[in-house]
């Protein structure tokens, strides 16, 4: 008989894998990679989707159906997976994206991303998420929803995104994918 799979693995197989990949490395570029992300951050997002401070039609429904115990197990499961890194799209050394990531934007007082997300993009404990290797499209989408306020779960990021142009968001997101 096939082995009985229970707990978070079962939910991953039946639900999350379709959009995020069984190992947390999503293929669709508007769905985030969850692999290697801090468990505390993942748990916070699931609760925020459930409460509605992070508005997303798909994930709010998903999180609404999960218990606190499920969420904790899922956060732990995905954080234990290894992220698969992609090649940089167009940016590297000396690019606008690198300048924003490491130095911010002086003219509009945007702080350096590295201050909170780390020099390597691996994030800082515990609530500062890993950004390195994330899909460009997803990162741009998050910066836009911080700017519009659909994602209202991080005042600091909302203030930062409010000061960024579309071109700056695209440049830093390209750089982050290749970090
Ligand atoms: C975002 C977990 C199922 C589509 C997220 C995030 C988490 C998560 C933690 C936020 C990641 C971050 O902030 O970096 C899960 C879990 C699932 C699940 C544990 C299974 C119980 C699904 C399914 C779909 C989906 C089935 C597609 C039908 C998305 C999308 C986003 C997202 C589109 C980005 C939302 C946004 O733009 O704010 N998910 N997910 N997820 N998930 Fe899921
Ligand atoms: C979350 C980008 C600067 C603190 C995020 C996310 C992105 C992002 C894309 C969402 C990650 C995901 O959904 O998986 C950036 C960029 C920055 C920047 C491009 C520079 C222009 C900063 C700075 C701080 C900060 C300077 C601290 C002062 C945070 C925190 C979160 C976050 C705490 C988690 C929000 C939550 O709990 O939902 N950032 N960030 N970021 N960022 Fe930044």
């Amino acid at each position: 008989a096939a082995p009985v799979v229970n707990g978070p693995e079962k939910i991953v197989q039946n639900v999350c894998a379709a959009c995020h990949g069984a190992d947390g490395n999503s293929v669709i570029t508007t769905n985030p990679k969850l692999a290697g992300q801090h468990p505390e951050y993942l748990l916070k997002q699931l609760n925020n989707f459930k409460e509605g401070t992070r508005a997303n039609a798909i994930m709010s429904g998903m999180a609404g159906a999960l218990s606190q115990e499920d969420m904790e197990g899922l956060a732990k499961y995905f954080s234990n997976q290894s992220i698969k890194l992609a090649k940089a799209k167009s940016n590297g050394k000396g690019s606008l994206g690198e300048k924003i990531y490491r130095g911010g934007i002086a003219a509009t007082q945007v702080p350096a991303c590295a201050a909170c997300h780390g020099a390597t993009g691996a994030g800082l404990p515990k609530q500062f998420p890993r950004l390195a290797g994330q899909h460009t499209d997803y990162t741009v989408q998050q910066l836009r929803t911080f700017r519009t306020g659909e994602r209202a779960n991080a005042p600091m990021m909302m203030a930062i995104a409010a000061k960024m142009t579309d071109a700056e968001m695209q440049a830093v997101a390209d750089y982050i994918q290749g970090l």
Side-chain angles (χ1 to χ4, degrees):
V4 180
V5 182
N6 269 316
E9 285 82 0
K10 188 175 177 183
I11 302 176
V12 171
Q13 275 180 21
N14 293 344
V15 188
C16 326
C19 298
H20 294 286
D23 66 351
N25 283 288
S26 54
V27 176
I28 299 169
T29 59
T30 48
N31 296 351
K33 293 182 187 175
L34 305 178
Q37 188 56 274
H38 303 325
E40 297 85 357
Y41 170 79
L42 293 175
L43 183 61
K44 176 180 180 284
Q45 299 313 305
L46 291 170
N47 276 305
N48 291 163
F49 284 128
K50 195 168 188 167
E51 298 153 358
T53 50
R54 181 170 175 182
N56 181 265
I58 299 168
M59 280 309 303
S60 298
M62 297 289 156
L66 299 171
S67 69
Q68 205 58 37
E69 195 191 349
D70 290 339
M71 290 187 194
E72 282 168 18
L74 289 161
K76 198 170 161 205
Y77 172 88
F78 283 116
S79 74
N80 282 332
Q81 307 301 311
S82 307
I83 189 166
K84 290 183 187 149
L85 300 175
K87 285 246 152 52
K89 262 191 179 169
S90 56
N91 286 298
K93 282 230 165 293
S95 66
L96 175 61
E98 185 193 40
K99 282 178 190 148
I100 296 172
Y101 191 83
R102 309 217 168 266
I105 309 166
T108 47
Q109 296 186 317
V110 171
C113 320
C116 296
H117 295 283
T120 63
L124 299 176
K126 301 174 173 177
Q127 299 290 357
F128 299 96
R130 174 189 183 91
L131 301 181
Q134 188 56 273
H135 299 300
T136 301
D137 292 344
Y138 171 76
T139 299
V140 169
Q141 178 179 292
Q142 293 318 295
L143 292 171
R144 290 214 180 110
T145 56
F146 281 130
R147 191 169 61 188
T148 62
E150 278 166 89
R151 182 166 175 181
N153 64 348
M156 189 66 71
M157 283 309 305
M158 294 171 79
I160 289 171
K163 294 187 275 194
M164 293 178 74
T165 66
D166 287 348
E168 289 162 350
M169 290 180 179
Q170 184 69 44
V172 78
D174 269 351
Y175 179 71
I176 282 167
Q177 177 173 279
L179 250 185

